[in-house]
Amino acid sequence: MINNVVLVGRLTKDPDLRYTGNGTAVATFTLAVNRNFTNQTGDREADFINCVIWRKSAETLANYAHKGTLLGVTGRIQTRNYENQQGQRVYVTEVVADNFQLLESRSASEKRQQTGGGNFNSNQNNFGAASGGQSSGNNSFDNQKQSSQPFNGMPNFDRDTADPFSNSGTSIDISDDDLPF
């Protein structure tokens, strides 16, 4: 059987680090993972995926990752159930993380937090939209072509099908020596 999960997303809040009765560290966190497509209004939605990580990795995650941190996670999907105080059966599906990777430098994370790039946009179901639209101008992505959605500190990876040479007005001369075949 195969049960592998690979996620890349941003933390919605600081990880919640706790310890079991026998002293084992466990951290729970939620990753906001953008979908690969936009909805009918052109907005990019996100899925909010509950994750749990155990032992030393949990302590490390709690020490180095904070709200808005871009994180890569590998693990597996696990389901569990319990009976709540009202006597109802509650089913929980979560990702049990085996490993994680911080995917941005500490300076980039701090800069994003200072410019407000890690806030949620309460009007949309997507993560990371800056409250003021574009950032302050110190971000390397500011000069890239932006879509109509607010700047969220991430490059726009939507497919651009425009011809990059259509407005140049010049032809391209390539000799046979330049070709790799």
Side-chain angles (χ1 to χ4, degrees), residues 8-181:
V8 175
R10 293 194 181 272
L11 288 175
T12 61
K13 62 180 182 174
D14 289 352
D16 183 20
L17 179 64
R18 297 182 184 197
Y19 292 88
T20 63
N22 63 2
T24 303
V26 58
T28 57
F29 59 97
T30 302
L31 275 184
V33 180
N34 283 340
R35 293 183 179 172
N36 292 334
F37 53 88
T38 57
N39 62 17
Q40 292 177 343
T41 61
D43 297 324
R44 188 167 304 277
E45 295 180 351
D47 293 304
F48 297 87
I49 301 171
N50 294 325
C51 303
V52 62
I53 191 165
W54 292 85
R55 297 177 186 78
K56 183 66 176 167
S57 296
E59 294 175 327
T60 305
L61 178 72
N63 288 331
Y64 293 103
H66 304 286
K67 178 181 178 179
T69 299
L70 185 63
L71 198 64
V73 173
T74 59
R76 65 185 187 280
I77 292 178
Q78 184 170 296
T79 59
R80 58 186 170 88
N81 61 71
Y82 63 92
E83 194 170 301
N84 66 10
Q85 293 176 345
Q86 292 77 27
Q88 299 169 324
R89 179 70 49 197
V90 178
Y91 295 90
V92 178
T93 301
E94 58 197 358
V95 171
V96 177
D98 296 324
N99 197 2
F100 73 91
Q101 181 75 40
L102 299 174
L103 297 179
E104 63 185 353
S105 67
R106 178 177 285 185
S107 62
S109 177
E110 289 172 355
K111 184 182 290 187
R112 180 185 34 74
Q113 288 177 351
Q114 289 173 356
T115 60
N119 296 332
F120 287 98
N121 184 342
S122 60
N123 297 330
Q124 298 175 2
N125 186 18
N126 65 353
F127 178 74
S131 58
Q134 291 273 5
S135 70
S136 64
N138 293 337
N139 196 304
S140 61
F141 301 124
D142 283 345
N143 296 328
Q144 291 185 358
K145 179 181 174 184
Q146 297 294 320
S147 66
S148 61
Q149 67 189 120
F151 179 73
N152 65 0
M154 293 296 294
N156 182 358
F157 291 116
D158 292 337
R159 181 176 293 261
D160 186 5
T161 57
D163 181 4
F165 302 106
S166 64
N167 293 330
S168 68
T170 61
S171 63
I172 300 174
D173 292 326
I174 299 175
S175 71
D176 289 340
D177 295 336
D178 295 331
L179 298 175
F181 47 87

